[in-house]
Amino acid sequence: MLLIRERKPFDFRKLDAYMHQFKGSSSSIGAKKVKAESTLFRECCKSGNGEGCMRSFQQLKKEYATLRKKLGAYFQV
């Protein structure tokens, strides 16, 4: 696995814009944990914290997977 320092620099502005949209979407359906993690990711973007973005993104993927599983079960009913 490459360390964050070995990768090209992040475009924090673009990442923040994407996460802003994702946060709004998750908020509109009541996905509180996804919204909270999106907020944390955006804070990391604003401070230029690449490592924080990576950690937050990993947690965001977990929360999203959980949400997706729950929504899948809900729509099966």
Side-chain angles (χ1 to χ4, degrees):
M1 182 172 134
L2 292 174
L3 295 174
I4 197 76
R5 291 177 292 280
E6 295 172 0
R7 296 183 183 181
K8 293 181 180 180
F10 286 116
D11 185 345
F12 290 110
R13 192 175 50 97
K14 189 179 278 189
L15 287 171
D16 183 55
Y18 288 137
M19 200 52 59
H20 177 73
Q21 289 178 326
F22 192 69
K23 179 183 164 195
S25 298
S26 59
S27 180
S28 69
I29 64 167
K32 293 178 184 179
K33 290 181 180 181
V34 174
K35 179 186 174 225
E37 201 58 47
S38 298
T39 300
L40 181 59
F41 188 98
R42 290 190 74 208
E43 289 172 7
C44 290
C45 285
K46 290 177 182 174
S47 66
N49 181 354
E51 293 289 337
C53 285
M54 292 298 289
R55 281 191 306 273
S56 182
F57 184 68
Q58 293 304 316
Q59 185 61 34
L60 185 60
K61 286 188 342 182
K62 290 177 187 175
E63 296 298 344
Y64 174 76
T66 301
L67 174 66
R68 185 177 170 140
K69 188 176 182 180
K70 289 179 181 180
L71 285 175
Y74 175 78
F75 285 114
Q76 294 278 328
V77 174

